[in-house]
Amino acid sequence: MAHPITSGPRADRARRVADVLRQQIHAEAYPDGLPAEHDLAIEFSVSRNTVREALGVLKHEGLIDRGPRVGTHVAQRKYSHGLDALLGLKETFNDLGEVRNEVRAAMPVTAPPSVARRLRLKPGEQAVFIERLRYLGDLPLSLDLTYLVADIGTEILDHPLETKDIFALIEELSGRPLGSASLALEAIPADAHSAAILQVPDGAALLMLERLTCLDDGRPVDLEYIRMRGDRITMRGSLVRSKP
């Protein structure tokens, strides 16, 4: 029986090889560069042309660089962002470098009706809006739009948002721990404005995370719309199968 990678048209085989190599790269399996085409062809039981096409896919994605006499090397790595823990960006990437924020807006606003419903506010009630461009070192990773309930958000405005995570401030100022969050994750193309801010090409893939976070007593306090660079962040989580 043919191995699933080795069967079908060459374009299909190349895609399958690229998918495996991509995850190997994300797992930092090739710190000194990818194996030679000949070795990859043996590893995957495919032709060198198939390997060459697979590497072309990864180069087009900006994941690898190739050149004569220098071989194939990883051009950039992605950072893993967990989906099964309620953490702020600073907490998530604490071991990878400094996370800093460029605060683009921070002010009280009348909550839009859809936001008011999610935060259980009355129509016309105020919320606090914060927009931050978030960096890991000098790399812009995400553009975060946050709506907070006014009693907590107003106090948050008095704190240094350039260096503080909002999650930590919510717990500090409310005196309660965060409990849970509901989220939705989808891929969207970068509009021209977001692309310029995040330093990616127009139409580049972004991960849009909508997250509604509640205190441990169930009260919703934080609604976020987060645009993350799809070329630099991979969302990961652990799932347990429940009974149908």
Side-chain angles (χ1 to χ4, degrees):
M1 179 180 295
H3 190 284
I5 284 182
T6 66
S7 61
R10 190 171 77 192
D12 288 344
R13 299 196 303 272
R15 173 171 40 79
R16 296 165 194 158
V17 171
D19 287 348
V20 175
L21 288 175
R22 186 185 298 105
Q23 291 309 311
Q24 289 288 91
I25 290 169
H26 296 335
E28 302 186 7
Y30 306 116
D32 300 319
L34 275 69
E37 289 179 4
H38 172 75
D39 295 330
L40 288 173
I42 293 173
E43 178 181 344
F44 288 100
S45 300
V46 296
S47 69
R48 290 185 63 174
N49 283 339
T50 298
V51 168
R52 197 169 293 124
E53 192 167 328
L55 295 175
V57 170
L58 300 179
K59 183 176 181 180
H60 178 72
E61 294 176 7
L63 197 57
I64 61 173
D65 282 330
R66 309 192 69 205
R69 292 188 290 276
V70 298
T72 303
H73 295 270
V74 176
Q76 62 181 18
R77 297 192 183 278
K78 287 192 173 186
Y79 302 107
S80 294
H81 191 301
L83 282 172
D84 46 11
L86 187 52
L87 298 172
L89 197 71
K90 192 177 184 70
E91 296 168 312
T92 298
F93 296 136
N94 184 52
D95 296 332
L96 297 176
E98 178 192 10
V99 173
R100 61 184 177 86
N101 307 317
E102 176 188 320
V103 181
R104 299 173 55 82
M107 56 193 173
V109 296
T110 299
S114 59
V115 171
R117 286 193 296 272
R118 302 291 300 282
L119 292 175
R120 299 182 193 166
L121 304 177
K122 297 177 182 177
E125 193 171 346
Q126 279 206 322
V128 167
F129 174 74
I130 299 172
E131 179 177 315
R132 296 167 297 161
L133 177 59
R134 315 201 67 186
Y135 290 84
L136 178 59
D138 294 326
L139 176 71
L141 275 185
S142 71
L143 180 62
D144 298 13
L145 279 61
T146 303
Y147 291 91
L148 299 160
V149 292
D151 58 314
I152 297 174
T154 301
E155 291 189 62
I156 283 177
L157 292 179
D158 294 329
H159 289 73
L161 298 175
E162 290 78 13
T163 55
K164 283 275 195 175
D165 251 356
I166 286 179
F167 277 0
L169 287 171
I170 291 173
E171 293 184 320
E172 176 186 333
L173 297 172
S174 69
R176 303 194 67 100
L178 295 172
S180 62
S182 59
L183 55 86
L185 180 66
E186 62 180 314
I188 63 170
D191 61 272
H193 180 63
S194 298
I197 293 172
L198 289 169
Q199 299 177 21
V200 297
D202 287 5
L206 300 180
L207 297 172
M208 167 63 85
L209 177 67
E210 180 197 80
R211 182 169 61 192
L212 177 65
T213 303
C214 301
L215 297 175
D216 66 335
D217 61 1
R219 181 194 179 196
V221 291
D222 178 316
L223 177 62
E224 299 168 283
Y225 299 93
I226 304 174
R227 289 172 171 83
M228 295 178 285
R229 286 182 55 165
D231 65 331
R232 301 311 300 266
I233 292 180
T234 297
M235 305 302 289
R236 298 187 184 277
S238 299
L239 304 177
V240 176
R241 181 170 170 81
S242 59
K243 293 182 179 180

